[in-house]
Amino acid sequence: MKKTGFAASIPFIVLLVLFAGLPLVLNSRTWIDLFVTIVFNMVGAVSLRLILLSGNLSFAQGAFMGVGAYTAGMLAVHLGLPMWLTIPLGAVMATIIGLITGWPFARLKTVYFSMGTMFMGQALMLFVSAWKKAGGAMGLSRIPALGAALKGVAEGIGIKNYQAAYFVILLLAIFSLVVMYRFEHCRVGTTLRALAQSEEVAASIGVNPTYYRLLAVGVACFFIGLMGGVQAHYMGTISYSSYGMNMTLWLIMYMMIGGSGKFIGPMIGAILISIVQGIANLMTSLSGSSNSAGFVAFSRWLGENSAYTPFLTAAVLLVVAYLLPTGLVGIPDTIRENKAKRADKKEIAAMTQKGGEA
């Protein structure tokens, strides 16, 4: 049974409370960095799902985040533009590049679209790596820090400057998620789903597949470019290697593990896997202030650069892939379906028993 109204918004409200409240308590730099990473991953995974609504899967989403990051960083470093201008310009540039490079592949479907976007994303990052103005292979550094710009505001309200930076990022992420949610649940979203079901049927009633697929790409690129722009100012240093194929593959994993069937699915997947990935840094940080020899030994076993951390991540992926094919958000539906099947079996058994007695 589909939830409507307030019941459908409860999971989002819970997430909002957690992401707004926990950073006030867990306020070390290590924890805040983890929260920031989760927020970036959530928006990135949801933007990827937006393209998937049309029946295609992009392998260039990480590269478009890189376009946003490098645009914002280069405008700040070379032209001295303020952050309130560089960040949105990064989003706009990601949108423009996404539309220009995506147009040749807009007529492609399924695996052909994925292959085209994969090569396009790799080409974009290789271009950045060879561009001296972008820092080349060494990356771009000395980008004005978001936390430093908010230092006065942070002191005024009694929080740390990196906490203030986190809440600015959270507000931008909320804006991004709300707009993408409305986009998905308006007429355009319905049209995209129709394209995914049957492009021929949709085209027969006047739908232009190329236009709507490019529209989905443009919106998705804008918001992941926005996250890229603010990430550049949060980190202060960026590298093209951070926005390659590896990042896109992780975004796909977040989406599939959480469940691509619902809007909140990629968000749940991003939270779970980001925490698993962040355990290494957390353990390394906490072991420095621990008096327990056992905890210190465990943190080194699972700590930063540990050879065992990838196995933990892989274990989570395998468990979800084999036991929950519809993702984590599909668990309630699976439980309801199992209950319904058991009820049907009991009813059939009861009817069979009555028939035998008769």
Side-chain angles (χ1 to χ4, degrees):
M1 183 177 179
K2 187 177 180 180
K3 294 181 179 179
T4 58
F6 180 74
S9 63
I10 290 178
F12 297 100
I13 294 173
V14 171
L15 289 180
L16 178 60
V17 171
L18 289 176
F19 278 93
L22 285 179
L24 296 174
V25 181
L26 305 172
N27 56 8
S28 70
R29 185 58 189 259
T30 304
W31 278 106
I32 297 300
D33 285 346
L34 176 59
F35 287 125
V36 168
T37 300
I38 293 173
V39 169
F40 286 145
N41 290 340
M42 284 196 298
V43 176
V46 170
S47 71
L48 185 64
R49 179 181 176 274
L50 193 62
I51 298 175
L52 185 65
L53 285 179
S54 66
N56 284 332
L57 180 62
S58 173
F59 276 76
Q61 209 64 359
F64 291 124
M65 187 173 186
V67 171
Y70 270 94
T71 299
M74 292 172 66
L75 289 175
V77 171
H78 299 305
L79 299 181
L81 296 182
M83 296 180 198
W84 62 266
L85 191 57
T86 60
I87 293 173
L89 284 177
V92 171
M93 181 58 68
T95 305
I96 293 173
I97 298 298
L99 292 175
I100 292 174
T101 57
W103 181 79
F105 307 111
R107 295 179 180 276
L108 301 178
K109 295 184 290 185
T110 60
V111 67
Y112 301 103
F113 179 87
S114 298
M115 291 177 63
T117 55
M118 179 178 66
F119 295 131
M120 176 182 62
Q122 291 293 91
L124 283 173
M125 288 301 99
L126 286 174
F127 172 77
V128 169
S129 69
W131 193 8
K132 291 184 178 180
K133 286 288 186 180
M138 300 300 293
L140 185 66
S141 58
R142 301 192 309 277
I143 303 172
L146 180 60
L150 297 171
K151 186 175 180 180
V153 176
E155 291 176 350
I157 58 179
I159 61 175
K160 299 173 182 177
N161 58 346
Y162 54 80
Q163 282 180 286
Y166 164 76
F167 284 111
V168 169
I169 294 171
L170 181 63
L171 288 175
L172 289 175
I174 292 171
F175 166 73
S176 303
L177 292 171
V178 168
V179 174
M180 285 190 285
Y181 182 87
R182 293 302 306 159
F183 183 85
E184 176 183 335
H185 290 83
C186 70
R187 182 180 60 84
V188 177
T190 303
T191 304
L192 291 175
R193 290 189 179 88
L195 283 175
Q197 292 294 324
S198 176
E199 180 178 321
E200 291 75 15
V201 174
S204 68
I205 58 174
V207 173
N208 186 334
T210 301
Y211 169 79
Y212 280 97
R213 287 202 171 106
L214 278 177
L215 181 61
V217 169
V219 173
C221 288
F222 178 87
F223 288 112
I224 200 166
L226 184 67
M227 291 297 103
V230 73
Q231 185 186 55
H233 284 289
Y234 179 78
M235 297 176 62
T237 302
I238 54 176
S239 171
Y240 76 96
S241 61
S242 300
Y243 304 105
M245 180 59 62
N246 189 52
M247 180 183 181
T248 301
L249 291 176
W250 277 113
L251 293 178
I252 294 173
M253 289 184 188
Y254 302 149
M255 179 180 64
M256 303 310 295
I257 288 172
S260 61
K262 296 182 180 180
F263 184 87
I264 200 173
M267 298 169 64
I268 299 299
I271 293 171
L272 175 64
I273 302 303
S274 297
I275 290 175
V276 172
Q277 292 174 308
I279 283 178
N281 290 332
L282 289 174
M283 288 295 182
T284 303
S285 175
L286 294 174
S287 65
S289 58
S290 174
N291 295 322
S292 170
F295 179 80
V296 172
F298 177 73
S299 67
R300 290 177 180 174
W301 175 78
L302 191 64
E304 190 173 7
N305 300 322
S306 170
Y308 297 99
T309 303
F311 292 98
L312 179 60
T313 306
V316 175
L317 297 176
L318 289 173
V319 168
V320 174
Y322 279 100
L323 301 181
L324 303 169
T326 58
L328 295 174
V329 293
I331 293 177
D333 294 335
T334 301
I335 293 174
R336 283 192 292 267
E337 289 176 2
N338 290 335
K339 286 183 177 179
K341 288 179 180 178
R342 286 196 295 268
D344 290 341
K345 287 181 179 179
K346 289 181 180 179
E347 184 177 353
I348 292 172
M351 293 176 62
T352 303
Q353 184 177 1
K354 288 182 179 178
E357 292 175 354

